[in-house]
Amino acid sequence: MIPLTTDMGAGTVDVYDAIKAVEMQRLLFPAFEQAYQRIIRIHKMALAGNHPRHLMILGPSGSGKSSVLEEYVRYFPAVEETEFRRIPVLRVEIKSSPTVRSVAEDILRAMGDQMAYRGTVNEKTDRVISSLPKHQVELLMLDEVQHLLGANKRSFGSNNETEWLKTLLNQIKIPAVLTGLQYAQALLSTNEQLRRRLDGVCNLTPFSVENEDAAADFAGVISWFDSEIHNGQPIGLHEGEMLKQLFYATNGLIGYLSKLLIGAMEIRLEHGQKRIEHWMLEQSFSQNLWAEGVRELNPFHKKFVDRQLNKANELFAPTVFSSMATSAA
């Protein structure tokens, strides 16, 4: 086995510094801004003494849900006080196939509890409830909440995990933001109290090219990336047939668009070119989005037939998991 070299030349460092600079930028597209403002609303209402309300943010993978949470948390970092750690906004990701025990442990770990694994489920739950005010948590964020529904188990919907969530939200005195895939809305059908305390559902939908207005919105996003990856000198990536090709390659999802274009930027810099060329997008698609996306299945290949890649076993194909969950929702 050949070890990885640590001898990185200045040129290599410059490439990755340039990529990092673009990745650090955050495009506040309209749906992102709306979700962000909705979080501010429930946060400020609770701080003003109003009864805490919850918010649900839904959207497909790559639509920007986690980015909204990351951006919000960035403005409310944890602060080390003399006797405790103050955590104004606590973000926890719900892992796949969760149990009540694992979710409680993850919340405790997020608060820095070194003994999160100890105790019974009830003891862990009590510690979660008592630790939130101890750390002065003002807002709880639970990401990937669709995992609580148990769609990968024999039953779907109400279960020990969703009942536990209901109990937790009833006992804590702070607002919560719940994010997940669209079918996570099924949580509302299993939790009447959550429905009553919900400040609404915010949907982050993919961009579209179905009509002129939608296509203009998508083109605006591409134009922003175009400028960023070309040092402020865009080359017109949103023009002509390229707009539709970028849509088919990403399904209108901002996360996929970012990976595709930043990947093409990396190829451009590594080859010492001033602008992204068509072959770079073709290569970035198969390298960064879908390894099987070659020739007729690559939107940037000359033999590609214009269509969405949503057939069985393709990049954006509906899964059995999501179909079952959606029908149950």
Side-chain angles (χ1 to χ4, degrees), residues 36-274:
Y36 195 90
Q37 292 298 326
R38 295 283 292 277
I39 297 175
I40 291 176
R41 169 183 162 82
I42 65 168
H43 191 177
K44 285 187 173 181
M45 287 185 68
L47 292 178
N50 292 283
H51 192 69
R53 301 184 184 186
H54 308 310
L55 174 67
M56 183 171 276
I57 302 176
L58 304 178
S61 178
S63 60
K65 303 182 301 296
S66 295
S67 295
V68 173
L69 302 192
E70 290 170 4
E71 185 70 8
Y72 198 83
V73 170
R74 189 164 70 89
Y75 284 96
F76 296 93
V79 179
E80 299 295 339
E81 303 286 1
T82 304
E83 298 182 356
F84 71 101
R85 188 182 192 214
R86 182 162 63 88
I87 312 173
V89 178
L90 182 69
R91 181 190 173 198
V92 181
E93 181 175 333
I94 306 298
K95 297 182 178 65
S96 179
S97 303
T99 62
V100 171
R101 178 183 295 274
S102 71
V103 177
E105 286 182 8
D106 287 342
I107 296 176
L108 290 170
R109 286 195 187 94
M111 288 187 283
D113 190 330
Q114 301 300 314
M115 300 296 177
Y117 60 91
R118 289 190 176 181
T120 65
V121 169
N122 287 339
E123 289 170 342
K124 292 177 192 292
T125 302
D126 289 341
R127 277 160 55 202
V128 168
I129 294 170
S130 63
S131 294
L132 289 170
K134 174 184 174 182
H135 291 282
Q136 296 185 9
V137 177
E138 302 167 358
L139 178 68
L140 175 64
M141 292 177 163
L142 297 178
D143 200 3
E144 306 290 358
V145 293
Q146 76 276 357
H147 290 151
L148 294 173
L149 289 165
N152 54 348
K153 303 175 183 179
R154 291 185 178 181
S155 62
F156 177 84
S158 181
N159 52 40
N160 291 338
E161 289 73 41
T162 59
E163 288 300 309
W164 181 84
L165 175 64
K166 176 174 67 177
T167 300
L168 178 70
L169 294 181
N170 285 340
Q171 294 191 51
I172 63 176
K173 305 300 181 183
I174 58 174
V177 178
L178 312 177
T179 69
L181 301 181
Q182 292 98 322
Y183 61 80
Q185 192 161 353
L187 281 168
L188 302 181
S189 65
T190 68
N191 191 335
E192 181 181 349
Q193 291 169 320
L194 174 59
R195 289 200 305 272
R196 289 203 308 265
R197 291 179 58 186
L198 197 70
D199 195 52
V201 176
C202 187
N203 289 289
L204 290 180
T205 57
F207 289 94
S208 171
V209 292
E210 290 184 358
N211 55 62
E212 289 187 6
D213 289 341
D217 289 340
F218 188 45
V221 171
I222 295 170
S223 182
W224 181 87
F225 275 106
D226 190 359
S227 180
E228 290 294 320
I229 63 180
H230 286 106
N231 301 317
Q233 298 179 349
I235 63 172
L237 283 177
H238 65 285
E239 298 173 353
E241 289 299 310
M242 185 63 74
L243 180 69
K244 188 175 292 185
Q245 289 176 323
L246 288 169
F247 173 73
Y248 288 137
T250 64
N251 221 31
L253 294 163
I254 190 101
Y256 285 87
L257 183 66
S258 177
K259 288 177 66 175
L260 174 71
L261 294 181
I262 292 177
M265 172 190 176
E266 180 178 356
I267 296 169
R268 173 180 74 80
L269 293 173
E270 288 176 344
H271 285 79
Q273 301 298 313
K274 293 184 177 181

